[in-house]
Amino acid sequence: MKVAIIGTGYVGLTTGACLAEMGHEVTCIDKIKEKIENLKAGKCPIYDPGLPELVETNHREGRLKFTTNLKEGIKEAQLIFICVGTPPKENGEADLTYVEQAVKEIKEYLDHYAVVVQKSTVPVQTAQWIKQQLIEKADVAVNPEFLREGTSVQDFFNPDRIVIGTDTPRANGMLTELYKPLNTPIIHTDLNSAEIIKHASNAFLAMKISYANLVSRLCDKSKADVHTVMAGVGMDKRIGKEFLNAGIGYGGSCFPKDIEAFMATFKQHGEHPGLLEEVKKINEKQIDYVLQLAEQTQNLKNAKVTVLGLAFKPNTDDTRLSQAITLIKKLQAKGAIIKAYDPKATENAKKELTNTEFYDNVYEAIKGTDMIIIATDWPEFKTINLNKVKEQTNKIIDGRNMFDPKRMKALGFEYKCVGRNTQF
Ligand code: UGA
């Protein structure tokens, strides 16, 4: 099929590259000239395992094209995906400016039948608004994405489900055909339900994390182990074991923003999002809890503190709303001198942090430090040489519960983590 993708962020670029890999003719459109030039030159603007290779191969083989010209890009496209950002406004509502711009331009330039597919995460009834704008020009569909940064390519090709929200058999048929080779269960819904499925899914996952974090606090107070508790809880198939890892809390460009937007939508419809408010509060408190553990271990004033991890999660260079960045700012406010290391996210972190010493190597970052705080669970931290670490400091605050507390104590570390502090 001929496919146009508007917006080349994580979602647009991954969707475009993966659809091209499936054999479709894809044109990715973005207003940012530099980004398009780089993509044409084979440079992928995002670090996500497997994505640069897919972009490069499919571009070279002619299935994946890039342009800044929307009129050109949607010419002959049978499916037009809207994958633009929906950042939060001051009041937490989703800012739909980029969606509106895209729809305005589609309306102006579309001269043939197409299905306009809303993939950006938007509040319920946005697609209905799009439909009103494009009446008699196009069918509208909602096809939310469930791609995690760091595993987006893998998630695209191995989804748990595909959601197709439409209100015409023709649009439903075309999207069903598109995704058929993935051999995955498809939920066919109306437009509104598809939009709510996305927000409700992200909010539920955030709720699972906050629930584990809430329980972790009781575990610390009562000398239980949250790791074991959540293993026991998650083995119930009705609950599921994923997303029950307690730690410093969730960050990133999706959960915090989507929870806010979902809460705003509840309020707009006269409903109280109490549960979601609590999910957010618990998440915010987790950083302070990690900070408190650090203060109990080391006087922070003028102390050298090495923060390991800057990205909001491993396998990405994304630092947007990263708990690590917020934690560093709080540590600095307490007078700590920060030494930081991340395998991929340093360049992005530099844009958000001041007075921070950045290192290219974990062992350089811990040299002469008073304490280490693990803020992102990069696999390389798990295999760190603990003997070398101990030559520098024996104080580790583990905001991601990467190590076994008993083993760390046996090795002589003053080790504190989240909800597993049965040893002190
Ligand atoms: C999330 C969803 O998982 C995707 O399904 C969705 O498509 C995406 O948002 C989106 O809306 O675009 P993402 O934000 O990339 O994906 O990352 P996650 O893997 O969900 O992690 C989010 C945060 O939760 C990270 O900070 C992670 O460290 C934290 N987390 C995750 C925990 O603290 N504990 C856990 O058990 C799991």
Side-chain angles (χ1 to χ4, degrees), residues 11 121 145-149 198 202 205 209 213 242-246 249-255 258 312-314 377 400:
V11 175
T121 302
E145 53 84 18
F146 304 101
L147 309 172
R148 288 163 300 173
E149 285 181 28
K198 172 62 199 252
N202 270 8
L205 291 169
I209 300 168
N213 282 330
E242 307 276 333
F243 279 65
L244 287 177
N245 295 323
Y250 61 79
S253 67
C254 302
F255 286 174
D258 289 349
F312 82 98
K313 61 183 260 186
D377 41 345
R400 294 293 185 174

Side-chain angles (χ1 to χ4, degrees), residues 220 286-298 300 371 373 396-399 401 414-421 424:
D220 269 349
Q286 281 312 104
I287 295 192
D288 293 329
Y289 187 56
V290 172
L291 190 67
Q292 193 185 315
L293 292 175
E295 277 183 303
Q296 283 166 7
T297 311
Q298 169 73 42
L300 293 176
M371 177 170 65
I373 305 183
I396 300 184
I397 308 297
D398 186 354
N401 286 355
E414 192 177 336
Y415 174 82
K416 289 179 187 141
C417 49
V418 180
R420 308 190 70 193
N421 293 314
F424 65 87

Side-chain angles (χ1 to χ4, degrees), residues 5-74:
I5 309 262
I6 304 176
T8 57
Y10 276 93
V11 175
L13 194 57
T14 305
T15 305
C18 292
L19 287 175
E21 180 70 11
M22 285 167 75
H24 300 287
E25 279 178 55
V26 181
T27 305
C28 287
I29 307 157
D30 203 293
K31 284 195 182 317
I32 305 173
K33 213 172 158 200
E34 193 191 342
K35 211 176 191 186
I36 293 298
E37 290 311 318
N38 280 340
L39 282 164
K40 280 183 180 168
K43 279 187 227 156
C44 185
I46 294 162
Y47 171 76
D48 223 74
L51 185 59
E53 293 81 353
L54 277 193
V55 169
E56 200 273 319
T57 328
N58 284 287
H59 179 52
R60 184 164 31 83
E61 291 174 3
R63 287 184 300 273
L64 184 60
K65 298 194 172 101
F66 302 102
T67 181
T68 51
N69 186 329
L70 188 136
K71 188 179 176 187
E72 280 298 307
I74 65 170

Side-chain angles (χ1 to χ4, degrees), residues 111-125:
D111 57 6
H112 61 280
Y113 173 82
V115 180
V116 173
V117 190
Q118 173 60 268
K119 213 179 224 326
S120 303
T121 302
V122 292
V124 61
Q125 294 178 344

Side-chain angles (χ1 to χ4, degrees), residues 211-278:
Y211 184 71
N213 282 330
L214 175 73
V215 173
S216 79
R217 307 291 285 273
L218 179 63
C219 287
D220 269 349
K221 286 269 158 64
S222 61
K223 296 199 184 301
D225 179 350
V226 73
H227 190 70
T228 313
V229 169
M230 285 304 149
V233 170
M235 275 171 84
D236 185 328
K237 284 201 196 85
R238 293 169 301 174
I239 298 172
K241 60 181 174 6
E242 307 276 333
F243 279 65
L244 287 177
N245 295 323
I248 195 171
Y250 61 79
S253 67
C254 302
F255 286 174
K257 149 182 103 71
D258 289 349
I259 293 259
E260 289 289 351
F262 203 28
M263 287 197 290
T265 309
F266 271 83
K267 287 178 194 157
Q268 279 162 2
H269 288 79
E271 291 296 331
H272 177 60
L275 176 66
L276 302 179
E277 280 170 0
E278 208 48 45

Side-chain angles (χ1 to χ4, degrees), residues 118 122-123 125-132 140-142 191 195:
Q118 173 60 268
V122 292
Q125 294 178 344
T126 303
Q128 280 190 350
W129 174 83
I130 299 175
K131 205 181 139 180
Q132 281 161 14
V140 175
V142 177
L191 299 174
E195 286 168 329

